[in-house]
Amino acid sequence: MAENRAQIKALESVSNQANWNDFVAPLDHIEERLGRLWATVSHLNAVCDSEDLRRAYEAALEKWTTYQTEVSQNRDLFAGFKRIEESRELDSLDLAKQKTVGNAIRDFRLGGVELEGAARQRFADIATELAALSNRFEQNLLDATDGWHLDLTEEVDLEGLPESSRALALQAAKLAGIEGWRFTLQASAFIPFMMFSSRRELRRKMYHAYTTRASDCGPNAGEWDNSVVMDRILELRSEQAVLLGYDQYVDYALVTRMATTSSTVQNFLDDLVQRTRSYARKDLEELAKFAAQEEPNTKLEVWDLPYWSERLRQSRYKFSQEEVRPFFPLPRVLEGMFEVARKLFGIVVRPAASKPQVWHPDAMFFEILDDTENVCAQFYLDVYARANKRGGAWMADCIGRYRKLDGSLQTPVALLTCNFAPPVDDKPSLLTHEDVLTLFHEFGHGLHHMLTKVDEPAVAGINGVPWDAVELPSQFLENWCWESAALDLISEHFESGERLPAELLQKLRDARNFQSGLRMVRQLEFSVFDLRLHSRLENKGKQSIQDVLDKVRRDVAVVQPPSFNRFQHSFSHIFAGGYAAGYYSYKWAEVLSADAFGRFEEQGLFDRDSGRAFLTEILEQGGVRDPLAMFVAFRGRKPSVDTLLRHLGLAG
């Protein structure tokens, strides 16, 4: 940072005669170098948490945020970019450089560069505090997740659980040095327990612990409570937006999105709620009826829903996720996924010739060869759940593509992280089909980052891509997980070597849209909650976060959880993950991805021309072009929500 500050000082002195080569290029160089360093630090904080690393990260985070604010409020740098924008040079620059200049000017303004006096300092202070609060939110959630478990010693308490779930719990108990079985709140343990355990009181216990993590309720009430953290985050975001002249935070956040107004987003969500809520009600009614038939006088509670849903799925389709698990050993799924990418985009993915230093023995390292057989990208893959690792799945930028000052090209590197059940005994990690979808999703993000042909770091890969378009490649790639030609590539029984049988494949596909109404409305509930939470200036001081969520549930949801449910306390996407006033992006991009896949439905699953077009029109473009224009160039028309609803079986 000291080196960067010194070089920025030198650039300030020439801002009144700024041009690309002598001003923007050297600034990009030092910013890219520092960004690479911080990407590594940030990743380690997420995947191998410890007290020492946590203290070091918190100290570094404050310095990092202070530096970022200094740069975003540097008026000499701002003036330099404006000079280029207003000069004749701009027209001579390529589109990537022009976009870099335009985005920089926009981001300087969003960073408070035009504020004066106390407002300017206040904006900087808010940025520092928000970074610390988001980190604290994530740490509280990690500690709360790791801080509770269910230990069982009687085999009768395992009734209904599949062998894979029992084996994982047995392994967890052995690692902890105890007898019996240990079920944690990590998704790989929690989800199958809720789906298969026939012990209702234990399901309630698990649900209660899971939905009260990091809150004022539950078995660890108040210990890692995010309540004050969330209130403060929302308060500061609102103040930040007002300082820049916006009425509410959502207006500030949407400046960089495809959907540029809150009314556009609200209308989009309202339309989907109106179209799909009746399907969700029908799903719930069918589930309640089925449970009552199987166990008369049973009152369906929320901790019963996964269990009875799985029972209904098995009854209706003669299918369970556990049936397909043996056919999806991780090594085979990876091999098949890479073959899908080869068929679509002409790339080859293979283990790297030499493995660099990694943070955990389970982390893998791969390289990608382009159609000229040159290494064009690399990525780390860390897929197993473990203690001291953040939950969920994500892709992060490790190193971006960049044409350096000496003309050499920097190879992009991605960080792909999941939380699947690890290998048990002599068995490989066996994935559910949901896990396979998650893996393809994150790989899609990775390809977006790694296959870019843009040389300017600010708009290469996912950089500069509007947040509500960034999910397009990830959700797009998921579609191949349902197609027989692709499933033949990614499935192989871990013992017999048999491909996924046609009968089982048909059951899988038949069950694809099982409870799609409930799943859609659940995601819409999250999206509307996020939007209202960041649009509530008129309710300032009157409505708590819980009040907002309760109202959203009355307006949108068909399932009403118990009063102790504290979902919001673990909603990392909006409080720590960059999706503030942006959770709608998943549904927004899902419309794009479903419609984009429609071309392959029409032309062929592995149609080479279509694959090449998606590569050149979407993946390679980075953040240079308008996402809607890119979509139209690929699809030949604007997107339609009807394709998504048809895929989900929710078309009227």
Side-chain angles (χ1 to χ4, degrees), residues 151-315:
D151 289 339
L152 301 176
T153 56
E154 301 296 330
E155 193 154 0
V156 66
D157 288 332
L158 306 180
E159 184 180 348
L161 293 175
E163 177 56 33
S164 60
S165 181
R166 297 183 184 208
L168 184 62
L170 181 64
Q171 180 169 275
K174 287 180 179 178
L175 289 173
I178 63 170
E179 296 294 323
W181 299 265
R182 170 164 289 185
F183 295 90
T184 70
L185 295 181
Q186 292 173 352
S188 56
F190 173 76
I191 292 174
F193 192 95
M194 298 303 295
M195 288 174 63
F196 295 105
S197 173
S198 57
R199 297 298 302 273
R200 192 184 194 200
E201 71 280 7
L202 294 180
R203 293 201 308 270
R204 186 192 189 283
K205 194 172 185 179
M206 286 283 280
Y207 174 87
H208 184 241
Y210 187 82
T211 60
T212 57
R213 289 175 299 159
S215 79
D216 57 327
C217 295
N220 291 318
E223 190 167 355
W224 300 289
D225 190 359
N226 271 330
S227 298
V228 174
V229 175
M230 295 187 300
D231 284 336
R232 185 61 174 162
I233 286 174
L234 292 176
E235 179 185 349
L236 291 175
R237 285 175 180 167
S238 177
E239 184 181 355
Q240 193 176 49
V242 171
L243 282 171
L244 291 180
Y246 296 97
D247 290 334
Q248 50 194 358
Y249 181 80
V250 65
D251 296 332
Y252 168 69
L254 289 176
V255 172
T256 60
R257 309 271 172 81
M258 284 182 71
T260 55
T261 67
S262 57
S263 60
T264 299
V265 179
Q266 189 63 64
N267 291 339
F268 169 73
L269 295 175
D270 287 347
D271 179 55
L272 283 177
V273 170
Q274 184 177 357
R275 290 182 183 227
T276 61
R277 200 176 186 214
S278 61
Y279 290 94
R281 287 198 192 96
K282 181 181 177 183
D283 287 343
L284 187 60
E285 290 167 1
E286 290 177 347
L287 184 63
K289 181 179 179 181
F290 175 78
Q293 289 173 343
E294 295 294 306
E295 289 187 9
N297 303 318
T298 295
K299 180 187 177 184
L300 207 60
E301 302 286 359
V302 287
W303 49 86
D304 300 323
L305 298 184
Y307 174 75
W308 284 109
S309 292
E310 183 60 24
R311 290 275 300 270
L312 177 57
R313 188 204 319 258
Q314 292 180 26
S315 173

Side-chain angles (χ1 to χ4, degrees), residues 333-380:
V333 174
L334 288 175
E335 182 182 336
M337 182 174 70
F338 299 156
E339 178 62 11
V340 168
R342 186 194 68 79
K343 286 176 170 286
L344 287 174
F345 309 125
I347 60 174
V348 173
V349 184
R350 68 187 186 191
S354 59
K355 185 177 181 180
Q357 183 180 8
V358 292
W359 54 91
H360 191 277
D362 291 338
M364 297 172 272
F365 190 64
F366 296 89
E367 60 188 16
I368 298 179
L369 280 64
D370 60 21
D371 54 9
T372 65
E373 299 187 359
N374 290 315
V375 174
C376 64
Q378 298 169 314
F379 63 96
Y380 293 89

Side-chain angles (χ1 to χ4, degrees), residues 315-328:
S315 173
R316 182 177 294 175
Y317 302 105
K318 309 297 186 246
F319 168 77
S320 166
Q321 284 280 350
E322 288 300 306
E323 282 187 81
V324 300
R325 193 189 284 270
F327 291 92
F328 292 129

